[in-house]
Amino acid sequence: MGYWQAGSLHPLDAEQGLASRDLGRWEAQQTLSVLRLVGRLDNQFICGGENVQPEAIEAHLQSLKGVTQAMVVPIRDSEFGHRPLAIVQCASPFSPRVLAEHCASLAPYQRPVHYLCWPETQQDGLIKPSRHALTLWAQADINR
């Protein structure tokens, strides 16, 4: 029917769509086309001229047995502009070496340069962790 904004229903234009800042792609599944959301446009950052979509790296990390949660954030880098840093929560002991080996199959610009254990302050009671807060925490942690 449309979308709700400022107290009224606005019809959705099939040609124009809805500018949500979500990043998606159409996938054929049997006789249907399915829209798969793969991330947010505003999470994307540039690393050495390449667009990095953190959600793709997060999904790769979460495919590793024992990883219960992962968030990838950009950290400043004098050579590449930004580099990915992974903050990971594990059910088993945290091992940056194992995580780096798992990410070796990613493109070089997608490989995290640091792996940090998920901070205690972000563990309890949050439905959706704050990407901004974790970015600030990570940047401060690696600058110590």
Side-chain angles (χ1 to χ4, degrees), residues 42-99:
D42 40 4
N43 290 341
Q44 193 175 76
F45 61 93
I46 308 292
C47 175
E50 299 284 350
N51 291 335
V52 177
Q53 193 63 46
E55 292 91 345
I57 304 167
E58 292 162 5
H60 184 76
L61 284 163
Q62 290 171 345
S63 72
L64 182 62
K65 185 178 179 190
V67 173
T68 56
Q69 191 165 211
M71 187 169 289
V72 172
V73 299
I75 56 165
R76 289 181 297 278
D77 183 87
S78 60
E79 184 178 358
F80 295 100
H82 288 91
R83 299 290 303 266
L85 175 143
I87 305 165
V88 182
Q89 187 176 45
C90 298
S92 53
F94 179 79
S95 172
R97 182 187 57 75
V98 170
L99 295 167

